[in-house]
Amino acid sequence: MEPLDELAASLRALPPSCGPVRLVAVDGHAGSGKSTFAARLATALGGAPVLHLDDLATHEQLFAWTDRLREQVTGPFSRGESARYAAYDWTLRRFGPARPLEPAPVVLVEGVGAGRAAVRTDLARLLWMDLDARQSWARGRRRDGPAQADFWDGWTAAETRHFATDPSRPYADLLVRQCQEGYEWLPGPYATALPNYSVTVGDRQGPPSGTA
């Protein structure tokens, strides 16, 4: 079994965390590879839905999306209902029509701040892309090009403020690192801070179920 398939199997084996859903966050600095990893993990999960937090943020509210997430997604999930959320159009600067998000066995939430304090109680797992801020931001700037330089200047300042007051990494169950071929992961700070908090996932160590 491939490593990502083993990770996927371990996530499916967790108890539900938000109604019938195992909500799994993929957090990390902008440019750290969250979207790519989430897409690959979703495939290993058999096509699990992925909610991108960029769809809930706006130019004026880069991190003030918590209420939208609760009202449109986690609230309905907690009641066993289907979610519906309106995705923000970053070009038109407005929200589009609502789209459905079904309460699948595993749903991935991907984006900077996905593991924030207001969300963690609904999570089955918090995965952190373990690439430092400067390297991540440099990758993001290269990806988006000079036309987005002003946006990145504002973003990095906002992200720095966010993680200074509401950090995610200290609460991560797993640290995910991109390798030349695929990914590897290690127990996160939350796992190593607690006694009796380990379970083997393939050749790598990860935390047990029910402790996010």
Side-chain angles (χ1 to χ4, degrees):
M1 184 181 291
E2 293 295 323
L4 271 180
D5 293 330
E6 294 180 10
L7 176 59
S10 74
L11 296 176
R12 284 193 296 265
L14 295 171
S17 61
C18 187
V21 173
R22 295 151 186 85
L23 200 63
V24 176
V26 180
D27 203 341
H29 298 290
S32 61
K34 298 180 301 302
S35 298
T36 299
F37 175 74
R40 293 180 180 176
L41 180 56
T43 298
L45 285 162
V50 181
L51 173 65
H52 302 282
L53 291 176
D54 284 351
D55 287 340
L56 299 183
T58 71
H59 285 87
E60 293 75 26
Q61 297 177 313
L62 295 176
F63 290 97
W65 41 257
T66 308
D67 288 344
R68 281 189 286 275
L69 178 67
R70 182 182 301 111
E71 293 166 4
Q72 300 179 27
V73 180
T74 59
F77 280 173
S78 69
R79 300 187 295 271
E81 301 170 359
S82 298
R84 291 181 63 82
Y85 69 97
Y88 183 70
D89 188 315
W90 288 83
T91 300
L92 299 178
R93 291 177 173 256
R94 64 176 184 238
F95 285 100
R99 58 181 68 173
L101 183 63
E102 297 301 321
V106 180
V107 175
L108 304 180
V109 180
E110 173 274 318
V112 181
R116 70 193 312 173
V119 180
R120 282 197 295 272
T121 55
D122 291 318
L123 297 180
R125 273 295 176 273
L126 169 52
L127 313 183
W128 176 268
M129 301 303 295
D130 204 31
L131 187 68
D132 69 52
R134 291 188 180 279
Q135 289 178 288
S136 299
W137 295 340
R139 283 176 47 169
R141 286 178 183 271
R142 287 195 299 270
R143 177 194 65 203
D144 294 343
Q148 295 295 322
D150 289 344
F151 176 82
W152 269 96
D153 290 344
W155 172 269
T156 55
E159 183 183 308
T160 299
R161 289 192 300 270
H162 168 72
F163 281 135
T165 59
D166 193 356
S168 296
R169 191 181 187 278
Y171 303 94
D173 298 295
L174 291 176
L175 302 179
V176 181
R177 296 172 181 171
Q178 188 171 2
C179 307
Q180 285 189 337
E181 295 184 7
Y183 298 89
E184 65 178 9
W185 45 89
L186 301 168
Y190 188 73
T192 56
L194 298 178
N196 304 317
Y197 193 91
S198 65
V199 64
T200 300
V201 181
D203 294 329
R204 302 168 177 84
Q205 290 292 315
S209 62
T211 50

